Amino acid sequence: MNLRCDLHSHSTVSDGTLTPTELVVRAHDNGVEMFALTDHDTTEGLHEAAQAAEKVGLPFVPGIELSVTWSHQTIHIVGLGINRDDVALNQGLKGLREFREERGAKIAHKLEKAGFVDALEGAKKYSNGEILSRTHFAQYIVEQGKAKDVRQVFKRYLVNGKPGYVAGQWASLEEALAWIHGAGGIAVIAHPARYKISATRLRQLISEFKELGGLGFEAISGSHSPDEEQRMTQLANQFELFISKGSDFHSPDSIYRELGAMQDIQAGSIPLWHSNAWKEKIGEVK
Ligand code: AMP
Ligand code: MN
Ligand code: MN
Ligand code: MN
């Protein structure tokens, strides 16, 4: 029931600070028994992670975290058990990465108006060229001494209403689920308590997600408080969604939890890895 798994994490391929291999080794050292790499909008790290996992004997689930615009709001959908070479998925991801480049140029332009110099080059120093994230702009701004940490940069510069904010134009929910399902994966609503939407709209999101064949709900997230985990677990149960669990680990010194360091799933809820879909698509878990 309470397998020590971690089904949400980021490497240097997106906005994390450890390589796929370093992440796998760290997860294994932490006693994680099943691990997924879910970089933002790219499958680039999955081959390396799979190889590293095989080497240390850690069951590995290839994953992705897709950026979605739903009802003018950015939502993240995790895909688990995807075929990393799927053509339609990779075509879709390419479009998302192109939007990241366009958005990056706009963010840089806005930050320059707010007094920063060479913000695009500055942010690109922190990305390895695969995806350009707001996290990379935040790292540059910290380097410039304009904020004490990444969290403060988001608050001051990068969120809606602040000088460096540019609205997302990501995939639709329908596209995201079609890409994940087409690549043989299972879709999960990532960190549901993090969205700044009303309870009614969250329910609406869940209904649409279910209609599109979505199965998982990441009630247990490294970015949720215990109270949020409780509420999100209840919501998952009401909607008969399976519960997923992931740290959303980005870096050893981030604000979220350590790899594998999550609460147990409560009795009465069903973990995603006990679903028939998981058994069929990913395999039997003890
Ligand atoms: P992007 O997908 O480029 O818009 O960047 C989103 C990423 O920024 C998330 O995946 C987090 O890693 C990070 N992020 C978002 N909000 C914050 C915050 N308030 N503090 C620190 N990191 C954040
Ligand atoms: Mn991130
Ligand atoms: Mn996310
Ligand atoms: Mn994430």
Side-chain angles (χ1 to χ4, degrees):
M1 170 80 187
N2 270 305
L3 181 73
R4 187 131 193 236
C5 65
D6 193 330
L7 301 176
H8 188 153
S9 69
H10 299 273
S11 76
T12 44
V13 167
S14 64
D15 59 348
T17 61
L18 301 183
T19 64
T21 301
E22 287 167 340
L23 269 182
V24 164
V25 169
R26 191 178 182 98
H28 185 248
D29 288 349
N30 286 355
V32 170
E33 296 169 304
M34 182 167 66
F35 175 70
L37 174 64
T38 56
D39 273 313
H40 298 285
D41 307 328
T42 174
T43 56
E44 192 62 31
L46 296 175
H47 178 64
E48 180 186 323
Q51 281 191 321
E54 173 142 32
K55 214 166 162 188
V56 298
L58 172 60
F60 177 69
V61 179
I64 188 89
E65 183 173 16
L66 291 175
S67 306
V68 168
T69 301
W70 177 80
S71 183
H72 308 290
Q73 173 82 30
T74 296
I75 298 291
H76 286 170
I77 301 291
V78 160
L80 296 172
I82 51 159
N83 166 14
R84 64 173 186 254
D85 297 321
D86 184 81
V87 173
L89 170 66
N90 281 289
Q91 196 60 35
L93 297 177
K94 193 163 161 263
L96 294 178
R97 294 195 297 268
E98 281 164 8
F99 173 68
R100 285 185 171 280
E101 287 297 319
E102 287 165 30
R103 182 190 67 161
K106 287 184 189 160
I107 292 175
H109 186 69
K110 289 189 138 193
L111 288 175
E112 280 160 22
K113 280 198 196 156
F116 290 90
V117 182
D118 295 336
L120 190 58
E121 292 72 15
K124 284 199 168 180
K125 267 197 320 200
Y126 289 94
S127 83
N128 73 354
E130 189 57 30
I131 73 143
L132 184 57
S133 166
R134 280 186 295 167
T135 304
H136 302 129
F137 282 97
Q139 288 165 335
Y140 168 69
I141 289 173
V142 172
E143 173 204 296
Q144 295 294 299
K146 296 285 172 57
K148 69 173 186 339
D149 56 23
V150 163
R151 196 174 195 172
Q152 199 177 58
V153 180
F154 271 87
K155 232 175 168 170
R156 286 188 185 167
Y157 296 101
L158 299 177
V159 294
N160 199 351
K162 299 297 167 174
Y165 178 74
V166 175
Q169 286 167 36
W170 306 110
S172 67
L173 190 64
E174 202 169 354
E175 284 170 325
L177 268 72
W179 297 338
I180 291 169
H181 294 149
I186 296 174
V188 179
I189 297 181
H191 43 66
R194 287 237 303 272
Y195 308 121
K196 296 204 168 26
I197 57 179
S198 67
T200 308
R201 291 228 299 150
L202 182 55
R203 287 169 173 274
Q204 207 177 329
L205 169 67
I206 296 172
S207 301
E208 288 182 31
F209 175 77
K210 280 203 71 163
E211 272 169 38
L212 294 167
L215 292 175
F217 198 65
E218 198 178 67
I220 311 295
S221 163
S223 64
H224 287 171
S225 68
D227 177 59
E228 287 169 337
E229 289 182 335
Q230 178 94 26
R231 285 193 290 112
M232 292 303 116
T233 297
Q234 281 170 7
L235 205 51
N237 292 347
Q238 277 169 24
F239 280 86
E240 298 183 320
L241 287 167
F242 297 100
I243 295 196
S244 189
K245 171 163 148 174
S247 61
D248 204 359
F249 182 87
H250 282 71
S251 144
D253 48 37
S254 90
I255 53 171
Y256 303 142
R257 251 164 268 166
E258 179 54 66
L259 276 175
M262 263 94 54
Q263 298 247 88
D264 284 347
I265 289 176
Q266 290 161 13
S269 303
I270 309 178
L272 185 57
W273 52 94
H274 285 181
S275 65
N276 285 331
W278 190 283
K279 283 175 199 151
E280 284 160 21
K281 290 165 182 266
I282 301 175
E284 191 91 37
V285 175
K286 63 179 166 140

